[in-house]
Amino acid sequence: MSLSLLLGALVLALWMGLAPLQWALIAVRAAAQPQTVSLLLVVGLILIMSRLMKEAGQMDRLVKSFSRFTRDTRKVGSVIAALIGLLPMPGGALFSAPLVEASLSDHELTGEQKTVVNYWFRHIWEYWWPLYPGVVLAVALLEVDTWQFMVTMMPMTLLSVLAGAVFILQPIRNERVPEKRRVSFKAVREFVLEIMPILIVILVIIFLGGVTAVMNRLGFHLKIPGSVSILPGLLASLCWVCRTNRIPFGRIKNAVLDKGLLPLLLLLLTIMIFKSTLIESRAVLQIRDELIAYRIPLTLVVMFIPFISGLVTGVAVGFVGTSFPLVISMFPSHSLFEYLSYAALAYTFGYMGMMLSPVHLCFLVTKDYYRADMMKSYRRLILPVLSVLSVVTLLFFLTRLLLH
Protein backbone atom coordinates (compact mmCIF):
# COMPACT_ATOMS: atom_id res chain seq x y z
CA MET A 1 0.00 0.00 0.00
CA SER A 2 2.88 2.38 0.78
CA LEU A 3 4.40 1.85 -2.67
CA SER A 4 0.99 2.23 -4.34
CA LEU A 5 0.34 5.53 -2.56
CA LEU A 6 3.79 6.89 -3.40
CA LEU A 7 3.57 5.92 -7.08
CA GLY A 8 -0.04 7.12 -7.18
CA ALA A 9 1.05 10.53 -5.84
CA LEU A 10 3.78 10.77 -8.48
CA VAL A 11 1.44 9.81 -11.34
CA LEU A 12 -1.16 12.29 -10.05
CA ALA A 13 1.44 15.08 -9.94
CA LEU A 14 2.55 14.34 -13.52
CA TRP A 15 -1.09 14.09 -14.65
CA MET A 16 -1.76 17.54 -13.17
CA GLY A 17 1.21 19.04 -15.05
CA LEU A 18 3.81 19.18 -12.27
CA ALA A 19 7.47 18.42 -13.02
CA PRO A 20 9.12 15.51 -11.15
CA LEU A 21 11.31 17.97 -9.21
CA GLN A 22 8.24 19.97 -8.13
CA TRP A 23 6.62 16.79 -6.83
CA ALA A 24 9.84 15.81 -5.01
CA LEU A 25 9.77 19.17 -3.19
CA ILE A 26 6.11 18.61 -2.26
CA ALA A 27 7.01 15.17 -0.87
CA VAL A 28 9.95 16.53 1.17
CA ARG A 29 7.82 19.36 2.60
CA ALA A 30 5.07 16.90 3.51
CA ALA A 31 7.56 14.60 5.28
CA ALA A 32 9.08 17.51 7.23
CA GLN A 33 5.77 19.00 8.43
CA PRO A 34 5.37 19.06 12.24
CA GLN A 35 2.00 17.31 11.74
CA THR A 36 3.71 14.39 9.95
CA VAL A 37 6.55 14.11 12.49
CA SER A 38 4.17 14.16 15.48
CA LEU A 39 1.90 11.59 13.77
CA LEU A 40 4.80 9.17 13.24
CA LEU A 41 5.99 9.69 16.83
CA VAL A 42 2.53 9.05 18.32
CA VAL A 43 1.89 5.89 16.31
CA GLY A 44 5.39 4.58 17.06
CA LEU A 45 4.87 5.07 20.81
CA ILE A 46 1.46 3.39 20.65
CA LEU A 47 2.89 0.28 18.99
CA ILE A 48 5.81 0.16 21.44
CA MET A 49 3.45 0.39 24.43
CA SER A 50 1.17 -2.29 22.93
CA ARG A 51 4.06 -4.69 22.55
CA LEU A 52 5.39 -4.07 26.07
CA MET A 53 1.94 -4.55 27.66
CA LYS A 54 1.45 -7.78 25.75
CA GLU A 55 4.90 -9.17 26.61
CA ALA A 56 4.51 -8.23 30.29
CA GLY A 57 1.20 -10.14 30.47
CA GLN A 58 -0.73 -7.02 31.47
CA MET A 59 -3.54 -7.63 28.97
CA ASP A 60 -4.01 -11.18 30.27
CA ARG A 61 -4.27 -9.84 33.83
CA LEU A 62 -6.74 -7.17 32.70
CA VAL A 63 -9.04 -9.78 31.16
CA LYS A 64 -8.86 -12.05 34.22
CA SER A 65 -9.60 -9.15 36.58
CA PHE A 66 -12.74 -8.25 34.63
CA SER A 67 -14.07 -11.82 34.45
CA ARG A 68 -14.69 -11.68 38.23
CA PHE A 69 -17.50 -9.14 37.75
CA THR A 70 -20.09 -11.20 35.83
CA ARG A 71 -21.55 -14.71 35.65
CA ASP A 72 -22.94 -14.28 32.11
CA THR A 73 -20.42 -16.07 29.88
CA ARG A 74 -21.73 -14.27 26.80
CA LYS A 75 -20.74 -10.98 28.40
CA VAL A 76 -17.37 -12.38 29.42
CA GLY A 77 -16.65 -13.50 25.85
CA SER A 78 -17.65 -10.22 24.23
CA VAL A 79 -15.97 -8.04 26.88
CA ILE A 80 -12.73 -10.04 26.66
CA ALA A 81 -12.62 -9.31 22.92
CA ALA A 82 -13.39 -5.64 23.63
CA LEU A 83 -10.72 -5.34 26.35
CA ILE A 84 -8.08 -6.83 24.07
CA GLY A 85 -9.35 -4.41 21.41
CA LEU A 86 -8.30 -1.47 23.59
CA LEU A 87 -4.75 -2.34 22.62
CA PRO A 88 -4.07 -1.84 18.89
CA MET A 89 -2.14 -4.77 17.43
CA PRO A 90 -1.99 -5.88 13.79
CA GLY A 91 -4.02 -9.10 13.64
CA GLY A 92 -4.73 -8.69 17.36
CA ALA A 93 -7.96 -10.68 17.03
CA LEU A 94 -5.74 -13.79 17.06
CA PHE A 95 -4.59 -12.77 20.56
CA SER A 96 -8.16 -12.58 21.88
CA ALA A 97 -9.49 -15.63 19.98
CA PRO A 98 -8.25 -18.31 22.47
CA LEU A 99 -9.56 -16.29 25.43
CA VAL A 100 -12.97 -15.82 23.81
CA GLU A 101 -13.13 -19.53 22.97
CA ALA A 102 -12.33 -20.46 26.58
CA SER A 103 -15.01 -18.12 27.95
CA LEU A 104 -17.65 -19.58 25.60
CA SER A 105 -16.65 -23.21 26.14
CA ASP A 106 -19.98 -24.00 27.85
CA HIS A 107 -21.86 -23.11 24.64
CA GLU A 108 -22.20 -25.33 21.61
CA LEU A 109 -21.29 -22.66 19.07
CA THR A 110 -20.27 -22.95 15.44
CA GLY A 111 -16.93 -21.60 14.26
CA GLU A 112 -18.82 -18.84 12.46
CA GLN A 113 -20.55 -17.69 15.68
CA LYS A 114 -17.25 -17.57 17.58
CA THR A 115 -15.65 -15.72 14.67
CA VAL A 116 -18.28 -12.98 14.67
CA VAL A 117 -18.24 -12.55 18.50
CA ASN A 118 -14.47 -12.14 18.55
CA TYR A 119 -14.25 -10.03 15.40
CA TRP A 120 -17.17 -7.65 16.03
CA PHE A 121 -16.57 -6.84 19.70
CA ARG A 122 -12.82 -6.44 19.25
CA HIS A 123 -13.56 -3.57 16.84
CA ILE A 124 -16.06 -1.49 18.83
CA TRP A 125 -13.42 1.08 19.89
CA GLU A 126 -11.66 2.04 16.68
CA TYR A 127 -14.24 4.71 15.87
CA TRP A 128 -12.70 7.07 18.44
CA TRP A 129 -10.10 5.33 20.63
CA PRO A 130 -7.03 7.62 20.51
CA LEU A 131 -4.53 4.75 20.59
CA TYR A 132 -5.56 3.58 17.10
CA PRO A 133 -3.44 4.90 14.21
CA GLY A 134 -6.57 5.36 12.04
CA VAL A 135 -8.10 7.68 14.65
CA VAL A 136 -4.83 9.61 15.08
CA LEU A 137 -4.59 10.06 11.30
CA ALA A 138 -8.26 11.15 11.01
CA VAL A 139 -7.75 13.77 13.74
CA ALA A 140 -4.62 15.04 11.98
CA LEU A 141 -6.31 15.27 8.56
CA LEU A 142 -9.49 16.85 9.94
CA GLU A 143 -7.39 19.35 11.94
CA VAL A 144 -9.71 19.23 14.95
CA ASP A 145 -8.97 18.66 18.63
CA THR A 146 -8.69 15.02 19.67
CA TRP A 147 -11.46 15.34 22.25
CA GLN A 148 -13.82 16.84 19.67
CA PHE A 149 -13.40 13.85 17.38
CA MET A 150 -13.70 11.44 20.33
CA VAL A 151 -16.96 12.97 21.57
CA THR A 152 -18.40 12.95 18.03
CA MET A 153 -17.59 9.29 17.41
CA MET A 154 -18.29 7.77 20.86
CA PRO A 155 -21.99 7.12 20.04
CA MET A 156 -20.85 4.80 17.24
CA THR A 157 -19.27 2.50 19.83
CA LEU A 158 -22.53 2.39 21.80
CA LEU A 159 -24.40 1.68 18.58
CA SER A 160 -22.01 -1.16 17.69
CA VAL A 161 -22.40 -2.69 21.16
CA LEU A 162 -26.18 -2.57 20.82
CA ALA A 163 -26.10 -4.07 17.31
CA GLY A 164 -23.75 -6.82 18.51
CA ALA A 165 -25.91 -7.59 21.56
CA VAL A 166 -29.09 -7.88 19.46
CA PHE A 167 -27.82 -9.69 16.36
CA ILE A 168 -24.79 -11.63 17.68
CA LEU A 169 -25.17 -12.35 21.42
CA GLN A 170 -28.96 -12.62 21.74
CA PRO A 171 -29.21 -15.80 19.61
CA ILE A 172 -26.69 -17.48 21.96
CA ARG A 173 -28.39 -19.13 24.94
CA ASN A 174 -26.92 -17.87 28.22
CA GLU A 175 -24.97 -20.35 30.34
CA ARG A 176 -24.16 -19.02 33.79
CA VAL A 177 -20.99 -20.18 35.47
CA PRO A 178 -21.71 -22.07 38.69
CA GLU A 179 -19.34 -20.30 41.05
CA LYS A 180 -20.31 -17.07 42.73
CA ARG A 181 -18.68 -13.85 41.60
CA ARG A 182 -18.36 -11.21 44.31
CA VAL A 183 -17.47 -7.67 43.39
CA SER A 184 -15.03 -6.65 46.11
CA PHE A 185 -12.95 -3.53 46.60
CA LYS A 186 -9.84 -5.62 45.96
CA ALA A 187 -11.21 -6.86 42.61
CA VAL A 188 -12.13 -3.34 41.50
CA ARG A 189 -8.72 -2.04 42.59
CA GLU A 190 -6.93 -4.77 40.61
CA PHE A 191 -9.01 -4.01 37.50
CA VAL A 192 -8.31 -0.25 37.74
CA LEU A 193 -4.58 -0.84 38.18
CA GLU A 194 -4.43 -3.12 35.13
CA ILE A 195 -6.39 -0.68 32.94
CA MET A 196 -4.49 2.36 34.27
CA PRO A 197 -2.20 2.81 31.20
CA ILE A 198 -5.30 3.28 29.05
CA LEU A 199 -6.98 5.57 31.58
CA ILE A 200 -3.87 7.76 31.80
CA VAL A 201 -4.00 8.53 28.06
CA ILE A 202 -7.70 9.48 28.21
CA LEU A 203 -7.36 11.58 31.38
CA VAL A 204 -4.40 13.56 30.01
CA ILE A 205 -6.27 14.30 26.76
CA ILE A 206 -9.30 15.52 28.78
CA PHE A 207 -7.02 17.59 31.03
CA LEU A 208 -5.27 19.26 28.09
CA GLY A 209 -8.65 19.95 26.46
CA GLY A 210 -9.80 21.63 29.68
CA VAL A 211 -6.61 23.71 29.97
CA THR A 212 -6.97 24.84 26.33
CA ALA A 213 -10.61 25.86 26.89
CA VAL A 214 -9.73 27.84 30.05
CA MET A 215 -6.78 29.58 28.33
CA ASN A 216 -8.99 30.57 25.40
CA ARG A 217 -11.61 31.96 27.79
CA LEU A 218 -8.91 34.09 29.43
CA GLY A 219 -7.91 35.53 26.07
CA PHE A 220 -4.82 33.38 25.42
CA HIS A 221 -5.48 31.72 22.06
CA LEU A 222 -3.95 28.28 22.52
CA LYS A 223 -4.48 25.41 20.11
CA ILE A 224 -2.80 22.03 20.53
CA PRO A 225 -2.89 19.88 17.35
CA GLY A 226 -4.77 16.62 17.85
CA SER A 227 -1.79 14.38 17.17
CA VAL A 228 0.35 16.39 19.63
CA SER A 229 -2.23 16.32 22.45
CA ILE A 230 -1.92 12.52 22.66
CA LEU A 231 1.86 12.59 23.19
CA PRO A 232 2.04 13.62 26.90
CA GLY A 233 -0.50 10.96 27.92
CA LEU A 234 1.28 8.31 25.86
CA LEU A 235 4.66 9.11 27.42
CA ALA A 236 3.18 9.05 30.93
CA SER A 237 1.40 5.77 30.18
CA LEU A 238 4.56 4.20 28.74
CA CYS A 239 6.48 5.15 31.89
CA TRP A 240 3.71 3.61 34.03
CA VAL A 241 3.82 0.33 32.05
CA CYS A 242 7.62 0.09 32.27
CA ARG A 243 7.73 0.89 35.99
CA THR A 244 4.82 -1.26 37.23
CA ASN A 245 5.91 -4.28 35.16
CA ARG A 246 9.61 -3.73 35.95
CA ILE A 247 10.48 -4.01 32.26
CA PRO A 248 14.27 -4.10 31.76
CA PHE A 249 15.98 -1.61 29.46
CA GLY A 250 16.92 -4.36 27.00
CA ARG A 251 13.29 -5.25 26.35
CA ILE A 252 12.37 -1.57 25.89
CA LYS A 253 15.24 -1.21 23.42
CA ASN A 254 14.04 -4.27 21.45
CA ALA A 255 10.51 -2.81 21.28
CA VAL A 256 11.82 0.55 20.01
CA LEU A 257 14.05 -1.10 17.38
CA ASP A 258 11.40 -3.61 16.28
CA LYS A 259 11.45 -3.86 12.47
CA GLY A 260 7.68 -4.40 12.52
CA LEU A 261 7.24 -0.66 13.24
CA LEU A 262 8.69 0.42 9.90
CA PRO A 263 5.93 -0.74 7.48
CA LEU A 264 3.17 1.16 9.33
CA LEU A 265 5.28 4.28 9.82
CA LEU A 266 6.20 4.21 6.12
CA LEU A 267 2.50 3.86 5.25
CA LEU A 268 1.64 6.93 7.33
CA LEU A 269 4.46 8.91 5.70
CA THR A 270 3.26 8.07 2.17
CA ILE A 271 -0.34 8.93 3.14
CA MET A 272 0.78 12.44 4.15
CA ILE A 273 2.72 12.78 0.88
CA PHE A 274 -0.35 11.65 -1.09
CA LYS A 275 -2.52 14.15 0.79
CA SER A 276 -0.11 17.04 0.08
CA THR A 277 0.06 16.04 -3.61
CA LEU A 278 -3.75 16.08 -3.86
CA ILE A 279 -3.90 19.56 -2.34
CA GLU A 280 -0.87 21.27 -3.91
CA SER A 281 -1.58 19.93 -7.42
CA ARG A 282 -5.13 21.35 -7.02
CA ALA A 283 -6.51 17.93 -7.98
CA VAL A 284 -8.87 18.04 -4.99
CA LEU A 285 -10.46 21.26 -6.24
CA GLN A 286 -10.91 19.91 -9.76
CA ILE A 287 -12.47 16.68 -8.50
CA ARG A 288 -14.88 18.65 -6.32
CA ASP A 289 -15.82 20.96 -9.23
CA GLU A 290 -16.47 18.01 -11.55
CA LEU A 291 -18.66 16.25 -9.00
CA ILE A 292 -20.68 19.45 -8.60
CA ALA A 293 -20.91 19.85 -12.39
CA TYR A 294 -22.29 16.32 -12.76
CA ARG A 295 -24.69 17.05 -9.88
CA ILE A 296 -23.62 14.02 -7.85
CA PRO A 297 -24.99 14.50 -4.31
CA LEU A 298 -22.24 15.35 -1.83
CA THR A 299 -23.68 12.96 0.76
CA LEU A 300 -23.32 9.97 -1.61
CA VAL A 301 -19.67 10.88 -2.28
CA VAL A 302 -18.95 11.23 1.46
CA MET A 303 -20.54 7.82 2.15
CA PHE A 304 -19.31 5.66 -0.70
CA ILE A 305 -15.72 6.79 -1.34
CA PRO A 306 -14.64 5.89 2.25
CA PHE A 307 -16.78 2.69 2.14
CA ILE A 308 -15.08 1.47 -1.04
CA SER A 309 -11.66 2.47 0.34
CA GLY A 310 -12.35 0.46 3.51
CA LEU A 311 -13.53 -2.53 1.48
CA VAL A 312 -10.38 -2.47 -0.67
CA THR A 313 -7.74 -1.75 2.00
CA GLY A 314 -9.18 -3.63 5.01
CA VAL A 315 -7.49 -1.30 7.49
CA ALA A 316 -8.57 1.99 9.12
CA VAL A 317 -5.35 3.82 8.26
CA GLY A 318 -5.90 2.72 4.65
CA PHE A 319 -9.43 4.04 4.20
CA VAL A 320 -8.70 7.25 6.13
CA GLY A 321 -5.49 7.91 4.23
CA THR A 322 -6.88 7.25 0.75
CA SER A 323 -10.35 8.79 1.06
CA PHE A 324 -10.23 11.56 3.69
CA PRO A 325 -7.85 13.89 1.80
CA LEU A 326 -10.46 13.92 -0.98
CA VAL A 327 -13.75 14.04 0.93
CA ILE A 328 -12.65 16.47 3.67
CA SER A 329 -12.22 19.19 1.04
CA MET A 330 -15.96 18.86 0.32
CA PHE A 331 -17.16 19.18 3.93
CA PRO A 332 -19.01 22.43 4.81
CA SER A 333 -16.66 24.32 7.13
CA HIS A 334 -18.76 27.26 8.35
CA SER A 335 -20.02 25.22 11.35
CA LEU A 336 -17.85 22.85 13.44
CA PHE A 337 -20.90 20.74 14.31
CA GLU A 338 -21.83 20.27 10.65
CA TYR A 339 -18.18 19.64 9.71
CA LEU A 340 -17.90 16.89 12.33
CA SER A 341 -21.25 15.36 11.31
CA TYR A 342 -19.86 14.85 7.79
CA ALA A 343 -16.65 13.44 9.32
CA ALA A 344 -18.69 10.95 11.40
CA LEU A 345 -20.65 9.83 8.33
CA ALA A 346 -17.48 9.36 6.25
CA TYR A 347 -15.56 7.55 9.01
CA THR A 348 -18.42 5.19 9.88
CA PHE A 349 -19.04 4.19 6.26
CA GLY A 350 -15.31 3.66 5.76
CA TYR A 351 -15.17 1.63 8.96
CA MET A 352 -18.05 -0.63 7.94
CA GLY A 353 -16.39 -1.13 4.56
CA MET A 354 -13.26 -2.19 6.45
CA MET A 355 -15.30 -4.60 8.61
CA LEU A 356 -16.65 -6.29 5.46
CA SER A 357 -13.29 -6.35 3.70
CA PRO A 358 -12.07 -9.82 2.63
CA VAL A 359 -8.48 -8.64 3.22
CA HIS A 360 -9.01 -7.47 6.83
CA LEU A 361 -6.27 -9.29 8.75
CA CYS A 362 -8.30 -9.66 11.97
CA PHE A 363 -11.17 -11.30 10.10
CA LEU A 364 -8.86 -13.69 8.27
CA VAL A 365 -6.91 -14.85 11.34
CA THR A 366 -10.10 -15.24 13.42
CA LYS A 367 -11.83 -17.26 10.68
CA ASP A 368 -8.80 -19.51 10.31
CA TYR A 369 -8.41 -19.98 14.08
CA TYR A 370 -12.02 -21.17 14.50
CA ARG A 371 -11.97 -23.06 11.15
CA ALA A 372 -15.01 -21.07 10.06
CA ASP A 373 -16.47 -20.69 6.59
CA MET A 374 -15.89 -17.18 5.19
CA MET A 375 -19.29 -16.67 3.51
CA LYS A 376 -21.25 -18.06 6.48
CA SER A 377 -19.32 -15.70 8.77
CA TYR A 378 -20.10 -12.77 6.47
CA ARG A 379 -23.82 -13.56 6.61
CA ARG A 380 -23.72 -13.12 10.39
CA LEU A 381 -22.06 -9.71 9.97
CA ILE A 382 -24.58 -8.26 7.49
CA LEU A 383 -27.33 -7.32 9.99
CA PRO A 384 -25.03 -5.59 12.53
CA VAL A 385 -23.29 -3.67 9.71
CA LEU A 386 -26.57 -2.60 8.06
CA SER A 387 -28.02 -1.49 11.41
CA VAL A 388 -24.98 0.71 12.17
CA LEU A 389 -25.02 2.24 8.67
CA SER A 390 -28.77 2.86 8.79
CA VAL A 391 -28.70 4.57 12.18
CA VAL A 392 -25.68 6.76 11.39
CA THR A 393 -27.33 7.85 8.13
CA LEU A 394 -30.55 8.66 9.98
CA LEU A 395 -28.63 10.64 12.63
CA PHE A 396 -26.77 12.54 9.91
CA PHE A 397 -29.98 13.65 8.17
CA LEU A 398 -31.55 14.56 11.52
CA THR A 399 -28.62 16.87 12.26
CA ARG A 400 -29.05 18.39 8.80
CA LEU A 401 -32.69 19.12 9.59
CA LEU A 402 -31.74 20.71 12.91
CA LEU A 403 -29.10 22.89 11.26
CA HIS A 404 -31.37 24.04 8.43
Side-chain angles (χ1 to χ4, degrees), residues 26 55 79 90 103 106-107 180 194 203 237 255 282 285 288 315 334 338 353-354 361 372 382 387 399:
I26 290 172
E55 289 180 353
V79 173
S103 68
D106 293 332
H107 301 274
K180 293 181 179 180
E194 298 302 344
L203 291 173
S237 185
R282 301 184 67 80
L285 296 176
R288 183 186 62 191
V315 61
H334 56 272
E338 188 174 19
M354 180 197 78
L361 185 59
I382 293 298
S387 63
T399 59

Side-chain angles (χ1 to χ4, degrees), residues 296-304 342 345 393 396-397 400:
I296 298 174
L298 172 60
T299 306
L300 288 180
V301 176
V302 170
M303 289 192 295
F304 288 112
Y342 274 92
L345 184 71
T393 304
F396 173 77
F397 283 110
R400 298 281 294 162

Side-chain angles (χ1 to χ4, degrees), residues 119-173:
Y119 181 57
W120 182 264
F121 286 98
R122 174 181 156 70
H123 290 89
I124 62 173
W125 305 110
E126 204 171 350
Y127 297 99
W128 62 275
W129 193 244
L131 296 185
Y132 273 97
V135 173
V136 177
L137 180 60
V139 169
L141 294 176
L142 288 164
E143 296 182 357
V144 296
D145 292 337
T146 302
W147 70 267
Q148 291 172 334
F149 184 80
M150 288 169 62
V151 170
T152 302
M153 297 304 299
M154 276 179 187
M156 295 304 103
T157 289
L158 297 176
L159 181 57
S160 287
V161 171
L162 183 60
V166 172
F167 296 112
I168 297 173
L169 295 184
Q170 194 62 36
I172 302 173
R173 188 168 62 89

Side-chain angles (χ1 to χ4, degrees), residues 343-362:
L345 184 71
Y347 194 94
T348 305
F349 266 80
Y351 197 76
M352 288 298 103
M354 180 197 78
M355 290 295 288
L356 292 176
S357 174
V359 295
H360 190 155
L361 185 59
C362 286

